[in-house]
């Protein structure tokens, strides 16, 4: 019952994998291009209308606090905050966690909130129960 993944996600119709890797200064952990199937289990189903670039903070195992993830993401967030990306993109910082029955609390320090905002990212929380 903890944080198991923190990632930077960018959805776009006008940028290539190479452009987004250059923009962020890191190679994507996952890349889903326009036209690829929405679901791997149904390759004949609907196709993606947006390309999706994901960079997962390389923290091994689960953590109770966000800090280990942010330590690794701050250089990427700083580069994104200081670099202009032309065109329309949708970006988010996604925190994926297993929630407790009563509560799960984590904090984002003001300096990190400012950096995330300067990078043009929204914050998205993906909470799962321990049952899945």
């Amino acid at each position: 019952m903890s944080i198991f993944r923190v990632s930077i996600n960018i959805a776009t119709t006008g940028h290539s994998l190479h452009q987004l890797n250059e923009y962020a200064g890191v190679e994507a952990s996952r890349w889903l291009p326009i036209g690829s199937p929405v679901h791997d289990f149904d390759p004949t189903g609907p196709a993606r209308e947006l390309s999706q670039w994901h960079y997962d903070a390389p923290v091994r195992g689960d953590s109770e606090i966000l800090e280990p993830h942010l330590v690794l993401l701050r250089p990427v967030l700083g580069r994104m905050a200081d670099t202009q990306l032309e065109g329309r993109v949708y970006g988010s910082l996604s925190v994926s966690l297993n929630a407790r029955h009563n509560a799960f609390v984590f904090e984002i320090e003001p300096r990190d909130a400012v950096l995330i905002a300067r990078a043009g990212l929204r914050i998205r929380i993906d909470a799962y129960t321990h049952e899945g």
Side-chain angles (χ1 to χ4, degrees), residues 6-10 53-55 73 76-77 80 92-93 121:
V6 178
S7 60
I8 296 171
N9 311 296
I10 299 172
W53 181 96
H54 303 276
Y55 178 70
L73 291 177
V76 179
L77 293 168
M80 292 172 69
S92 65
L93 177 78
L121 302 178

Side-chain angles (χ1 to χ4, degrees), residues 1-59:
M1 298 199 238
S2 56
I3 298 168
F4 62 87
R5 180 175 51 235
V6 178
S7 60
I8 296 171
N9 311 296
I10 299 172
T12 180
T13 59
H15 297 85
S16 69
L17 173 61
H18 176 75
Q19 288 171 315
L20 294 173
N21 286 344
E22 286 287 317
Y23 167 62
V26 293
E27 291 189 16
S29 303
R30 292 171 280 139
W31 169 251
L32 305 164
I34 291 175
S36 64
V38 170
H39 299 290
D40 291 339
F41 61 85
D42 184 9
T44 63
R48 295 186 184 280
E49 296 181 9
L50 298 169
S51 292
Q52 294 179 319
W53 181 96
H54 303 276
Y55 178 70
D56 302 327
V59 173

Side-chain angles (χ1 to χ4, degrees), residues 1 98-104 128-131:
M1 298 199 238
N98 289 314
R100 294 186 176 109
H101 289 290
N102 295 331
F104 184 88
Y128 301 88
T129 64
H130 66 280
E131 290 90 18

Side-chain angles (χ1 to χ4, degrees), residues 41-113:
F41 61 85
D42 184 9
T44 63
R48 295 186 184 280
E49 296 181 9
L50 298 169
S51 292
Q52 294 179 319
W53 181 96
H54 303 276
Y55 178 70
D56 302 327
V59 173
R60 293 195 187 276
D62 294 1
S63 64
E64 295 287 322
I65 59 175
L66 195 55
E67 183 64 16
H69 303 273
L70 289 177
V71 164
L72 298 171
L73 291 177
R74 281 184 194 120
V76 179
L77 293 168
R79 181 177 173 104
M80 292 172 69
D82 294 336
T83 305
Q84 185 66 25
L85 185 62
E86 297 298 321
R88 291 179 41 173
V89 297
Y90 174 87
S92 65
L93 177 78
S94 177
V95 179
S96 299
L97 56 91
N98 289 314
R100 294 186 176 109
H101 289 290
N102 295 331
F104 184 88
V105 177
F106 66 88
E107 296 179 351
I108 297 175
E109 296 294 328
R111 69 183 172 121
D112 290 318

